[in-house]
Amino acid sequence: MLVTNHVGAGAAIGVLLHRRPVLAFAAGVASHLAMDCLPHWGLPRVPESHEPFLQVAKRDGLAGLAAIAVLAGPARGLRSGVLAGIAGATILDVDKPARHFFGRNPVPAAVQEFHERIQREAPHRMRNEVLIAAGLLGLSGLLVARGRRALP
Ligand SMILES: [Zn+2]
């Protein structure tokens, strides 16, 4: 699943659990695994997919970073929870940028194998990914705004 979608879910979790960042991180990891079990976009793991995947990954990575800035920036009073939720929700996907930029994967082999095994990917599901991103980012933005108003 696109990392931008994991950012949206992690931010929403982080708002709801902002007083307990460790729990927000753990719930973020759980959300990542649950979302990756759902049908989502992906390309066959063959060498011919590398370049098309990289094109999507660049855009997704930039969108994810922008989403982090837009959601965590105004989350005064909630920020540690929001960032913890986002960190938990995205940490399992660190393998892709780590391999690309540093040529190494810091994820333990057993975790990586499990993460790859649960994927339900198909190349025709990009539209769903974009719709899910819009929904999750909208929801998390509303939760950040509401959460800030509820603070003392
Ligand atoms: Zn994943």
Side-chain angles (χ1 to χ4, degrees):
M1 187 164 282
L2 296 179
V3 76
T4 303
N5 291 346
H6 291 303
V7 168
I13 289 166
V15 171
L16 298 174
L17 298 173
H18 70 274
R19 288 191 179 90
R20 303 179 70 188
V22 174
L23 185 58
F25 181 88
V29 172
S31 78
H32 187 111
L33 294 172
M35 290 169 71
D36 275 1
C37 289
L38 299 173
H40 60 278
W41 177 84
L43 296 173
R45 293 172 195 263
V46 295
E48 298 78 35
S49 295
H50 181 73
E51 273 307 311
F53 178 83
L54 199 55
Q55 294 303 312
V56 172
K58 286 178 187 173
R59 294 183 183 119
D60 182 34
L62 290 173
L65 288 172
I68 292 170
V70 168
L71 293 168
R76 195 167 12 97
L78 311 165
R79 196 171 292 127
S80 61
V82 168
L83 290 174
I86 291 171
T90 57
I91 196 164
L92 287 173
D93 280 345
V94 74
D95 61 314
K96 295 162 191 83
R99 280 189 190 133
H100 182 73
F101 292 113
F102 307 113
R104 299 189 63 208
N105 181 4
V107 178
V111 174
Q112 183 69 34
E113 183 183 329
F114 175 74
H115 184 213
E116 290 179 9
R117 197 164 4 113
I118 64 171
Q119 303 297 320
R120 294 185 59 200
E121 298 172 333
H124 67 278
R125 295 188 180 127
M126 182 53 84
R127 186 169 180 264
N128 297 7
E129 293 268 353
V130 173
L131 291 172
I132 292 167
L136 283 171
L137 294 174
L139 172 68
S140 54
L142 288 172
L143 288 172
V144 166
R146 192 189 74 165
R148 281 190 52 202
R149 282 196 302 271
L151 290 174

